Amino acid sequence: MNKPAIYAGCFDPITLGHIDIIERASGLFDTLHIVIAENLQKSSLFTADERLNMALNSLKHINNVNVSIYNGLIINYALEIGATALVRGIRTVSDVDYEFQLAYFNRKLAPQITTIFMSPSSDYTHISSTAVRELIKLKQDITEFVPNYTADFIRKKI
């Protein structure tokens, strides 16, 4: 039986915390779909295509991961592909509040899809895309927070 799951986010940019969750979640499901969400309420530092490129190149070592862009409700994408679960990353107490609200909302829309919460390794709990974007804007070194490909891509772009 095929058990696909989705891990969605803006990934602006993808971080080592994201990679940690993706590596562990990929072992739990037959296929893990990484969905680059286009959030119209957020102003992204990188385009969706750039975020897709960084994710594809940073995740090519994981065989059962697919990466795509989607600009609708993630729960609709989950229903389209027959996903059994949504994987969500939690680092802080404030993440818990937001993620629980989202999980309850998604459960109302599609009760057959389970939300699974995962926290990154303690080595990565302090990393957020928001903090990395701030470092990028301030022209600081980000190599200890993002995958090598992503760091190289950002260096070339900036």
Side-chain angles (χ1 to χ4, degrees):
M1 179 161 80
N2 186 19
K3 291 184 181 178
I6 293 175
Y7 181 38
C10 292
F11 303 107
D12 186 36
I14 193 164
T15 69
L16 293 175
H18 295 132
I19 302 292
D20 179 63
I21 288 174
I22 292 165
E23 287 174 344
R24 290 184 295 117
S26 70
L28 301 174
F29 300 96
D30 296 323
T31 306
L32 182 62
H33 295 263
I34 309 307
V35 180
I36 310 291
E38 292 195 89
N39 187 337
L40 300 176
Q41 296 175 339
K42 285 187 177 180
S43 60
S44 298
L45 187 57
F46 301 98
T47 68
D49 286 335
E50 288 172 329
R51 290 180 279 143
L52 176 70
N53 175 47
M54 286 185 277
L56 282 169
N57 283 286
S58 298
L59 298 170
K60 60 185 173 186
H61 66 285
I62 309 172
N63 294 331
N64 65 331
V65 166
N66 295 323
V67 185
S68 60
I69 298 170
Y70 190 75
N71 59 5
L73 281 177
I74 295 302
I75 201 70
N76 289 341
Y77 185 77
L79 291 168
E80 288 172 24
I81 67 164
T84 58
L86 297 173
V87 174
R88 301 298 300 166
I90 294 180
R91 294 173 299 114
T92 64
V93 172
S94 60
D95 287 348
V96 172
D97 184 49
Y98 172 77
E99 293 296 340
F100 270 56
Q101 290 177 31
L102 190 60
Y104 293 138
F105 181 72
N106 286 332
R107 184 141 202 174
K108 284 290 187 186
L109 294 174
Q112 70 274 33
I113 299 174
T114 301
T115 299
I116 296 174
F117 300 107
M118 296 181 75
S119 60
S121 162
S122 60
D123 293 338
Y124 306 121
T125 55
H126 64 287
I127 301 173
S128 71
S129 290
T130 302
V132 170
R133 284 193 306 275
E134 286 301 310
L135 292 173
I136 293 167
K137 289 175 187 175
L138 296 169
K139 300 188 183 336
Q140 298 298 303
D141 183 26
I142 57 166
T143 55
E144 66 181 283
F145 308 117
V146 298
N148 291 335
Y149 179 87
T150 297
D152 290 342
F153 177 85
I154 292 169
R155 263 192 299 275
K156 288 174 188 168
K157 178 178 169 130
I158 305 297

